[in-house]
Structures are given as C-alpha cells and as structure tokens.
C-alpha cells in the first residue's frame, strides 16, 4: 500500500474490527517507500492520551455503537436503510460533513471490492447515498499556542524529535518522506536532497532553516537523518500535543502551517507548488487565497478613507433587556408628547452639507452613541446633530 493517509483509513477500519472482536491492524513502512499492513501489536496508551480518546468516544457514543452493530452483521444483511441510519447518527453526534463522507466512502469501497468475489445476491447498500464534499483542513495557531508547542517540543526525551517537527514544518514534507531521508541522498552543503515522495522520487531544495537544522544533527549508524520509527513518532506527538493543550493538532498539520507561513513570507503559488511537490497549482493557490495578505493590506489601506462611522459606545450586556427598555421609553415619550410638540420630518432630518474635520474635532462630548473618526477620536451623536443643525 502506498496511499497517503493509510493510517487514518486503518483507524476507521479498526473501529469495525474492534466491534467484531477481531485483531486490529497497523501500517509499517517497507523497503519500497510504501507500507505494509500487519496485525497490530498490543500497545498501552499514556494516561493523558487515553483520557482524551475516552472523552472523544463519549462525545460520539452513538456513532461508535452504530459502527459496532454494523460490524457484527453479515455483509448481506446490511441494507440501504442501515447506511442512511448510520449517516443520521453521525450528523446527530456532530461529525463534520468531511468525516461523514470518509466513513461512508470506506463502506462503499469495501462493498465494491467484495463484489469482485462474485458473492451472489450481495448488493452495495451505499448506492444512492449522496456523499458530502471533503473539506480542506484549516490550521491556525495563535502566538501563545506556538509558544506552548515549542516548549513541549523542547521537553521531549528524544533529541531527534524537535528537529524532526521543525523540519516537517519548514520543508512541508510528509512524515513518510521524512522517516526515509538518509544522509546518502541529502547534501546539506548544497542544500539539495533526492527524496521518495507521494508522487515519486524527486529533487528537493532545502531552505536555509532546514539546512541549519540538519547541520546540527549527528549521523546515526543506520544512515537515516531521523532514526525514529513512525510508531515512536506518533506516540511522542500524542504526548506533545496533549501537553501543550492542542489535542486535535495532528503531525500532518505541520505541513499546513509551513505552507501558510511560506506564503506569508512572500512565496507565489507557483513557487509553493514546487515546495509542496505537487503537479497541480490548485492546492498551492488555496494556501495563497487562504492567507490573502494582499487583500488584508488593501482593506486596511481603504479603511483609512472610511470617514465617520456611527457605532454604539458600549454594547449592552443584555440585548433583550436593552431592546425592551428602549421600546418602553419610546412608548412613554409618545404618550406625554402633544400633537403640537410632535417633531416634523423636516425638523428631525439632517441638512445635506459638508462637515469639515475642524468641526468634528470641536465636538467631543459623552453620549449614548458615538461617531468614530479615522483619527481614533469619537464625537457624541447628539452633539453632532446639534452642531449640524
């Protein structure tokens, strides 16, 4: 198997195997740059990560119960109504459209494959189920979160792990590629490497940041730049993300963070395509559009010419109570006001005339509503009306 993301697919498959009481599976890297599926060895999760898994499962208890029920049924017993019910349960448990799409797609592919075995009378129960669109993953860390992540990486026992994580972000290389990097196919001095990737072996240009990281690493006896197994990396990452308070952050998210950072540093979509190792510019353009730095700058520049914007001085803590109070005040005012005192439309409308900046600056009074100027000063709306009148 060479499909990127096989670990995530096996996690979904293992849910059904668990429900059926069968051994779980895992993927291990083979000598061809791909992976082989084998029976998973017994593992004990750390107390912190086990608590996270338990909490996540509790939030999706209905979905897991439905999976386990399907796992115990014969293939020919599962109907279209069962799959629709599974979809409804996942929606009720709050799974994203992308997650639901992947779950049903897995079952659909399974039935398509067993159909090649010529099992008579076996129909695909997923036919007619409209799959949702897979959503692109958006990852953003605040400065405080970045600092917490860095601190957690610094506290790792394995001295290779922090350089591995930093290289993953700065190079945007996938984990499978990183664990197969060797000193024999990498030249730190010339900042080049020939790496096995998802799209085949290709030359890669190292950034100065990656060059600095690799220059400080000793050469391991096995010739690998990062002498760690994928299982050890995943276990260490689980501890890191829990320790820094980011339990949903995946190792592959470092690739997304790196791509957005390179766009912010000035890379074009075409240049980023080369860094990501993609044949198409579509994904690189997505990161460019996501950052949208040029648009942000244009909006900020245009905001300086916005003029006066009327806005509430302080938003009420209880909007509903504020609404009722204002209505009561308006009704009481209308009751005590005589017809002769009722203002005419002409008296309440503002005259059409230009207001100079000096005039606005002279009117600085407190009031329930204020007008914000580009300079940052505020003027009372009531005073503004009186002065104009």
């Amino acid at each position: 198997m060479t499909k990127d993301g096989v670990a995530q697919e096996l996690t979904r498959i293992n849910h059904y195997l668990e429900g059926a009481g069968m051994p779980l599976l895992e993927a291990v890297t083979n000598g061809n740059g791909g992976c082989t599926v084998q029976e998973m060895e017994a593992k004990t999760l750390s107390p912190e990560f086990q608590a996270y898994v338990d909490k996540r499962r509790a939030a999706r208890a209905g979905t897991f119960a439905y999976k386990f029920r399907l796992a115990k049924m014969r293939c020919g017993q599962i109907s279209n109504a069962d799959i629709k019910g599974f979809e409804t349960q996942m929606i009720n448990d709050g799974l994203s459209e992308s997650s639901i799409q992947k779950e049903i797609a897995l079952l659909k592919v399974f039935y398509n494959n067993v159909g090649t075995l010529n099992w008579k009378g076996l129909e695909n129960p997923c036919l007619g189920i409209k799959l949702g669109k897979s959503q692109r993953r958006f990852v953003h860390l605040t400065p405080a979160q970045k600092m917490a992540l860095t601190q957690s990486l610094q506290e790792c026992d394995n001295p290779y792990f922090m350089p591995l994580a930093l290289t993953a972000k700065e190079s945007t290389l996938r984990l499978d590629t990183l664990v197969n990097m060797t000193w024999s196919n990498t030249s730190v001095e010339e900042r080049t490497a020939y790496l096995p990737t998802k799209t085949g072996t290709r030359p890669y240009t190292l950034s100065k940041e990656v060059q600095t990281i690799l220059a400080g690493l000793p050469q391991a006896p096995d010739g690998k730049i990062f002498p760690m197994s994928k299982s050890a990396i995943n276990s260490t990452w689980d501890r890191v993300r829990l320790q820094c308070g980011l339990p949903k952050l995946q190792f592959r998210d470092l690739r997304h963070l790196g791509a957005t950072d390179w766009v912010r540093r000035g890379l074009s979509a075409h240049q980023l395509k080369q860094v990501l190792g993609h044949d198409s510019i579509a994904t690189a353009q997505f990161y460019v559009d996501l950052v949208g730095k040029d648009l942000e700058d244009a909006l900020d520049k245009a905001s300086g010419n916005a003029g006066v914007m009327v806005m509430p001085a302080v938003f009420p803590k209880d909007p509903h109570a504020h609404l009722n109070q204002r209505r009561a005040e308006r009704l009481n005012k209308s009751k005590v006001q005589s017809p002769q005192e009722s203002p005419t439309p002409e008296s309440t409308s503002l005259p059409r005339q230009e207001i100079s900046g000096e005039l606005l600056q002279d009117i600085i009074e407190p009031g329930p509503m204020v007008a914000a100027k580009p300079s940052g000063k505020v003027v009372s709306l009531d005073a503004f009306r009186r002065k104009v009148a």
Side-chain angles (χ1 to χ4, degrees):
M1 299 182 67
T2 58
K3 179 181 182 301
D4 185 58
V6 64
Q8 288 75 24
E9 296 291 351
L10 282 178
T11 297
R12 297 185 181 92
I13 293 173
N14 281 337
H15 293 160
Y16 293 97
L17 296 176
E18 179 184 353
M22 300 175 66
L24 306 184
L25 303 175
E26 67 177 349
V28 294
T29 304
N30 57 33
N32 299 323
C35 58
T36 303
V37 176
Q38 65 182 24
E39 187 173 318
M40 181 185 295
E41 298 180 2
K43 298 179 181 179
T44 302
L45 300 178
S46 65
E48 296 83 1
F49 191 65
Q50 184 63 59
Y52 167 73
V53 172
D54 293 341
K55 182 179 179 180
R56 185 177 177 86
R57 284 204 171 193
R60 303 179 175 185
T63 296
F64 277 95
Y66 213 112
K67 278 187 179 183
F68 292 169
R69 183 172 71 83
L70 292 176
K72 296 176 182 178
M73 297 173 65
R74 293 182 177 273
C75 294
Q77 293 177 327
I78 299 177
S79 66
N80 184 264
D82 292 321
I83 303 301
K84 288 183 177 179
F86 183 38
E87 180 183 28
T88 301
Q89 182 61 58
M90 288 189 286
I91 294 175
N92 293 338
D93 280 352
L95 272 71
S96 67
E97 192 175 71
S98 180
S99 296
I100 296 174
Q101 182 262 346
K102 290 181 175 66
E103 291 288 352
I104 297 180
L106 175 65
L107 295 174
K108 190 173 184 178
V109 171
F110 166 76
Y111 273 94
N112 286 339
N113 288 334
V114 299
T116 60
L117 301 177
N118 295 322
W119 289 1
K120 295 182 179 180
L122 182 63
E123 296 183 357
N124 193 332
C126 300
L127 295 178
I129 304 293
K130 186 177 181 181
L131 300 180
K133 294 182 179 179
S134 181
Q135 301 295 322
R136 291 186 183 271
R137 185 172 176 82
F138 173 72
V139 185
H140 172 72
L141 297 183
T142 65
Q145 290 173 329
K146 291 180 180 179
M147 185 178 298
L149 177 59
T150 300
Q151 183 175 353
S152 297
L153 290 172
Q154 291 174 335
E155 296 175 0
C156 288
D157 296 336
N158 193 320
Y160 282 99
F161 193 78
M162 184 172 184
L164 170 68
L166 294 178
T167 302
K169 175 182 173 296
E170 292 298 323
S171 68
T172 72
L173 292 172
R174 296 181 176 87
L175 180 57
D176 286 334
T177 300
L178 292 169
V179 296
N180 286 298
M181 285 183 67
T182 62
W183 292 109
S184 61
N185 60 20
T186 304
S187 174
V188 177
E189 292 79 10
E190 298 179 2
R191 294 171 54 187
T192 58
Y194 288 88
L195 306 175
T197 67
K198 180 181 176 182
T199 56
T201 302
R202 68 177 182 89
Y204 185 88
T205 302
L206 305 177
S207 67
K208 290 184 177 180
E209 291 80 4
V210 174
Q211 182 188 36
T212 301
I213 294 171
L214 299 186
L217 295 179
Q219 295 194 14
D222 61 359
K224 290 188 175 182
I225 294 181
F226 302 106
M228 299 180 66
S229 66
K230 287 186 66 174
S231 60
I233 293 172
N234 291 331
S235 298
T236 305
W237 181 254
D238 288 340
R239 291 194 296 271
V240 167
R241 62 179 181 173
L242 289 174
Q243 184 177 353
C244 68
L246 298 168
K248 294 184 178 181
L249 187 67
Q250 302 177 23
F251 190 89
R252 63 189 177 98
D253 291 334
L254 296 176
R255 174 177 168 87
H256 302 305
L257 292 171
T260 53
D261 278 356
W262 280 118
V263 174
R264 292 186 184 278
R265 296 171 189 174
L267 256 63
S268 66
H270 178 74
Q271 292 168 330
L272 183 61
K273 177 180 79 73
Q274 302 297 325
V275 173
L276 295 173
H278 288 173
D279 295 328
S280 170
I281 202 173
T283 301
Q285 187 62 52
F286 164 76
Y287 286 113
V288 173
D289 295 341
L290 184 65
V291 172
K293 187 62 178 176
D294 293 339
L295 179 58
E296 291 177 8
D297 293 340
L299 289 173
D300 292 343
K301 183 177 180 179
S303 296
N305 302 322
V308 177
M309 180 176 65
V310 178
M311 56 192 303
V314 179
F315 194 84
K317 294 182 178 180
D318 188 343
H320 185 69
H322 179 82
L323 176 63
N324 291 336
Q325 180 183 354
R326 285 297 183 90
R327 284 177 174 174
E329 291 175 354
R330 187 177 69 254
L331 292 174
N332 292 334
K333 184 178 180 180
S334 64
K335 290 180 180 179
V336 301
Q337 191 176 39
S338 62
Q340 291 77 11
E341 296 174 334
S342 299
T344 62
E346 290 77 8
S347 63
T348 57
S349 61
L350 292 175
R352 296 178 179 272
Q353 63 182 82
E354 296 295 329
I355 309 299
S356 66
E358 292 78 4
L359 175 61
L360 291 175
Q361 193 167 357
D362 291 339
I363 314 173
I364 305 177
E365 298 178 13
M369 300 287 288
V370 298
K373 298 197 309 175
S375 61
K377 295 184 178 180
V378 297
V379 296
S380 165
L381 184 59
D382 295 336
F384 176 77
R385 285 174 173 167
R386 291 197 302 271
K387 192 74 174 180
V388 171

